[in-house]
Amino acid sequence: MNAMVVVRGAGDLATGTILRLHNCGFRVAALDIPQPSAIRRAVSFCEAVYDGACTVDGVACRCVESFAQCEEAWQAGEVPLLIDPAGERIRELRPAAVVDAILAKRNCGTSRDMAPITVGLGPGFTAGTDVDAVIETQRGHDLGRVLYTGAAAPNTGIPGIIAGYGAQRVLHAPAAGPFEPCAQIGDLVEKGQPIAAISGTPVLASLTGVLRGLIRPGYPVTKGLKIADIDPRASERKNCFTVSDKARCIAGGVLEAILHLAAERGIAL
């Protein structure tokens, strides 16, 4: 298998999809914005935008600028990442499939004419209209299900329940300004404990648990932006640094959709 797949987005859920496709033999290129705001940075390829390169689950991702550099990355067994928020490089790359994994809860410009196969993750897409298939991203029985008609469940705005906690698991910026953390991903924190400050305003842990995600130090946050994620299960500490069960489930749906549509349409991969 040597087909190319372009994945728009390189956050934690997108990274799960990129890894699955890469490990199955696809040449995967990721596209992202100039200043990603991933929370689960330890398992997000978008960190390569800032650091030049990063590694998740043993696979390296390198930020590149040209198609030639993409080829070099693939030859080295790496995933190339291009800064391309609008997807303007897609037509140059001419992939067999495009996966929109931006998870913006809306379509950020992905259309069926971008590639022979197009897949959208979560709400904001309609299968058969703007993409060929939609993958359900809402936790529950249908997580990872492939839809070839219709849309995913609408965004509730409420995080999935883990150990009885939902909205409390996610912290949002109480003010605007540069993010100054005093804790790190993987730390065990107590409810009410300071974990960061923004323009002098403290950010306190909303519950006791493991700091699973934390936005990048120095990031210029806006008030209300998601900045941290706490898992109430202390036993999950080791899993802060591996791709999540949710990301792997969604990735399986993406792989299924690509293989199914390729077989149905006679597209060689």
Side-chain angles (χ1 to χ4, degrees):
M1 190 175 294
N2 199 37
M4 187 199 308
V5 179
V6 167
V7 178
R8 300 190 68 194
D12 64 308
L13 296 182
T15 297
T17 288
I18 293 166
L19 280 168
R20 178 66 57 87
L21 297 174
H22 170 84
N23 290 335
C24 288
F26 288 95
R27 293 184 301 157
V28 187
L31 308 181
D32 215 320
I33 60 177
Q35 201 170 37
S37 59
I39 303 302
R40 295 208 64 214
R41 295 181 291 108
V43 289
S44 296
F45 279 144
C46 64
E47 284 295 281
V49 171
Y50 297 102
D51 300 330
C54 68
T55 300
V56 178
D57 280 12
V59 175
C61 176
R62 187 199 313 174
C63 193
V64 302
E65 297 180 352
S66 67
F67 182 76
Q69 289 178 325
C70 285
E71 290 284 3
E72 291 174 5
W74 289 323
Q75 289 297 319
E78 300 172 339
V79 174
L81 184 152
L82 294 145
I83 297 174
D84 182 13
E88 295 173 351
R89 307 294 292 275
I90 292 174
R91 301 196 187 282
E92 172 192 351
L93 295 170
R94 300 176 65 187
V98 168
V99 180
D100 190 316
I102 298 172
L103 278 299
K105 318 302 182 187
R106 58 186 176 84
N107 188 335
C108 294
T110 296
S111 59
R112 294 176 76 186
D113 64 356
M114 284 182 164
I117 297 170
T118 52
V119 181
L121 271 55
F125 303 97
T126 301
T129 302
D130 47 2
V131 292
D132 297 308
V134 172
I135 312 300
E136 181 58 69
T137 58
Q138 189 176 99
R139 286 189 183 273
H141 180 76
D142 287 331
L143 178 63
R145 183 183 292 275
V146 183
L147 306 172
Y148 296 103
T149 59
N155 179 35
T156 65
I158 302 173
I161 302 298
I162 293 179
Y165 294 94
Q168 306 100 309
R169 295 193 298 107
V170 177
L171 281 72
H172 296 87
F179 185 72
E180 302 171 14
C182 54
Q184 300 180 49
I185 293 173
D187 284 355
L188 295 171
V189 297
E190 297 288 331
K191 182 178 180 179
Q193 173 185 331
I195 61 170
I198 304 170
S199 299
T201 302
V203 178
L204 308 179
S206 54
L207 51 87
T208 297
V210 179
L211 195 55
R212 192 173 76 138
L214 195 66
I215 205 165
R216 190 176 179 87
Y219 192 89
V221 304
T222 54
K223 186 175 181 179
L225 183 70
K226 180 180 174 181
I227 53 173
D229 180 354
I230 300 175
D231 192 319
R233 303 166 296 177
S235 61
E236 292 298 301
R237 187 176 190 181
K238 65 183 184 301
N239 294 332
C240 293
F241 305 99
T242 57
V243 172
S244 69
D245 54 345
K246 180 176 181 179
R248 291 195 305 270
C249 187
I250 292 169
V254 173
L255 178 62
E256 176 187 335
I258 291 173
L259 294 179
H260 174 86
L261 289 167
E264 183 179 72
R265 298 174 179 181
I267 298 170
L269 299 176

